[in-house]
Amino acid sequence: MGSLLAELRAAVGVDGVLTDVDVTAAYQRDMMPLAPFGTPLAVVLPTSAEQVRDVVRACGRSGTPIVPRGAGSGLSGAANAVEGCVVLAMTKMNAILEVDPDNRLAVVEPGVVNLDLRGAVEKHGLFYPPDPSSYDWCTIGGNLATNAGGLCCVKYGVTTDSVLGLEVVLADGELLRTGRRTVKGVAGYDLTRLFVGSEGTLGVITRATLALRPLPQAPATLVAAFDGPAAAGAAVSRVVAEGVVPSLMEIMDRTSVEAVERFLRTDLGAGGALLLCQSDSGGEAARQELAAVEQACAAAGADLVYATEDLSEGRDLLAARRAVLPALEVYGAWLTDDVCVPRTRIADLIAGCERISGEAGLRIAVVGHAGDGNMHPTIVYDPSSADEFARARRAFDEILGLGLALGGTVTGEHGIGKVKREWLAREIGPVGLRVHREIKRALDPGNLFNPGSMFELG
């Protein structure tokens, strides 16, 4: 492998190739503790698309697998190293190349941090909607690779809904340009959407053209307390049936509410479930939206409904939702799942998680994006206990099975990665899996990119 390392150093410079195992260990895995990972031969940090092309060609000649990586904030193991691979860390390609206010688009490199892009376009009165919970450190490239979601998906969609076009380095080193800069465009296959969410298995994204929106109004906030998830779920169904589309609608079950109350030393006033909504429509439109949500909550039997247009108060209310994971860390390590179910089955999912929690003898808190049915059951366990870890792993899989049984999917926004491969096969079936493999073989016949992620090529 000495000759490959020499080629890599020639491509990106000596400082751009890391081989010290104490350094490369930080690039071995993402935030998912269940996913397997290996030791990379090297971590390479390119600064241009041309360098990426040279690295891909060098690895292709030697048959060395490439695992593209962003900041490592993922929760599926999609960026985990495989043994002897080259981890292609894209964080140094972090330029915002263009912001075009008139056409409401931005052109960026993959290493741009989500929050930095938001701040840059806000100066032009514009807004980049995708907001993963790690938006203050995750990168656009990682968001693209996993088709990341976030709290505002109910109104603005997931990452792919804000992508106009891409530049991608293919397995032969060629640079593919997909998509457009126009609002509409239906020329050919939609290759842009093929690469968004492909988890680095089909190519390396080196540039993205992103659609922007006008900066929304300051949000008005509503909180509703219920005696249990059934009533909260009924409220969500009523909101959807009324055609109201808030900019945010989050749900917290009893376990998450109790953990947050203890952590923040506050009383959220929710006996069994809490619903948090925001409207960023502004003025009278926001008041009307939240009034409709309030009526839906009252009709579903809410014990308390409170709305405010005060920004500080709204931030304080939303802080309860954002504090769930830190609150759970008081009890042990956490393992967060990611299932999406029809919005009418949210209560059934929470009830099922309560059953799984009892059977596993582990604390399981359920929070999620009620507006689109994307739930995050979070399992708390003692990482020093092999028995508890095994029970947590079983509970994780049982929750995935529950999600499928309720007519849902095994991932709403975190991706398949290396931890849910068998579940992808169950969800899409043998024909779907065959088509996935045929696409992979057509674009990456040597299985160069992220082998073993999402599915085995077979």
Side-chain angles (χ1 to χ4, degrees):
M1 287 299 173
S3 60
L4 174 59
L5 291 175
E7 287 188 73
L8 296 176
R9 292 184 179 112
V12 304
V14 174
D15 293 340
V17 180
L18 311 178
T19 57
D20 185 325
V21 292
D22 291 333
V23 177
T24 61
Y27 295 85
Q28 286 182 307
R29 55 179 292 264
D30 65 13
M31 302 293 288
M32 168 50 72
L34 296 182
F37 60 91
T39 302
L41 169 71
V43 174
V44 176
L45 296 100
T47 59
S48 69
E50 194 55 46
Q51 289 186 357
V52 174
R53 298 175 72 182
D54 289 343
V55 170
V56 168
R57 286 167 174 153
C59 290
R61 286 190 292 269
S62 67
T64 302
I66 296 171
V67 177
R69 174 188 171 93
S73 62
L75 289 162
S76 68
N80 284 15
V82 297
E83 197 67 29
C85 75
V86 165
V87 171
L88 196 58
M90 305 296 289
T91 48
K92 286 192 174 183
M93 293 181 63
N94 58 1
I96 299 174
L97 301 169
E98 178 186 358
V99 177
D100 182 347
D102 293 333
N103 288 302
R104 294 183 187 169
L105 63 84
V107 181
V108 305
E109 291 183 325
V112 172
V113 171
N114 185 294
L115 183 60
D116 291 345
L117 175 60
R118 285 173 153 244
V121 303
E122 185 175 332
K123 298 173 184 176
H124 299 273
L126 297 172
F127 172 53
Y128 178 65
D131 65 336
S133 59
S134 57
Y135 73 106
D136 55 343
W137 64 289
C138 67
T139 61
I140 296 297
N143 297 169
L144 293 166
T146 57
N147 199 9
L151 272 65
C152 71
C153 291
V154 57
K155 183 172 183 178
Y156 296 109
V158 293
T159 294
T160 192
D161 297 303
S162 294
V163 183
L164 295 172
L166 300 172
E167 286 186 359
V168 184
V169 175
L170 301 176
D172 59 3
E174 291 296 313
L175 188 65
L176 170 69
R177 292 180 175 87
T178 76
R180 62 199 190 280
R181 291 173 61 101
T182 54
V183 174
K184 294 173 65 177
V186 294
Y189 295 135
D190 192 345
L191 298 179
T192 301
R193 284 180 178 256
L194 175 63
F195 283 97
V196 176
S198 64
E199 300 184 12
T201 61
L202 300 178
V204 182
I205 296 170
T206 56
R207 184 174 294 194
T209 302
L210 306 173
L212 307 174
R213 292 173 178 261
L215 194 65
Q217 300 294 310
T221 305
L222 176 146
V223 60
F226 300 86
D227 63 3
V236 172
S237 296
R238 286 177 178 271
V239 170
V240 173
E242 288 292 327
V244 180
V245 185
S247 56
L248 176 152
M249 185 157 60
E250 297 289 297
I251 193 169
M252 299 168 58
D253 75 342
R254 182 191 306 273
T255 302
S256 57
V257 167
E258 291 175 350
V260 167
E261 286 180 329
R262 178 178 174 184
F263 182 71
L264 297 180
R265 299 186 180 183
T266 188
D267 182 3
L268 298 176
L274 197 71
L275 199 64
L276 286 157
C277 292
Q278 284 190 331
S279 169
D280 62 6
S281 297
E284 184 59 29
R287 286 189 284 273
Q288 289 181 5
E289 284 184 357
L290 290 192
V293 174
E294 183 173 357
Q295 290 178 357
C297 290
D303 298 322
L304 169 71
V305 184
Y306 176 72
T308 179
E309 294 182 49
D310 184 89
L311 288 179
S312 178
E313 197 172 18
R315 280 193 295 268
D316 289 343
L317 291 171
L318 196 58
R321 166 64 179 89
R322 297 192 184 279
V324 171
L325 291 181
L328 292 174
E329 286 177 351
V330 173
Y331 303 101
W334 52 262
L335 173 62
T336 190
D337 218 322
D338 165 47
V339 293
C340 193
V341 297
R343 288 168 291 196
T344 54
R345 307 305 299 272
I346 290 173
D348 296 325
L349 179 77
I350 294 175
C353 287
E354 289 179 355
R355 173 184 56 78
I356 293 169
S357 173
E359 293 172 352
L362 297 171
R363 186 186 306 268
I364 300 179
V366 183
V367 295
H369 317 314
D372 54 28
N374 190 182
M375 298 290 103
H376 297 303
T378 301
I379 306 158
V380 182
Y381 66 99
D382 179 358
S384 67
S385 168
D387 175 62
E388 283 205 15
F389 182 79
R391 281 185 277 143
R393 174 72 222 223
R394 287 196 298 272
F396 183 89
D397 284 338
E398 287 178 16
I399 291 168
L400 295 177
L402 173 63
L404 284 182
L406 293 174
T409 174
V410 297
T411 176
E413 58 187 6
H414 293 170
I416 295 295
K418 298 177 178 69
V419 76
K420 295 182 181 178
R421 291 178 298 195
E422 65 179 90
W423 289 98
L424 175 68
R426 294 189 196 187
E427 179 170 332
I428 66 176
V431 175
L433 190 58
R434 173 176 61 81
V435 171
H436 274 65
R437 286 171 171 158
E438 289 176 353
I439 292 171
K440 169 74 168 172
R441 289 191 183 100
L443 290 174
D444 182 16
N447 201 18
L448 181 68
F449 293 128
N450 212 359
S453 195
M454 294 182 73
F455 54 89
E456 294 287 354
L457 189 55

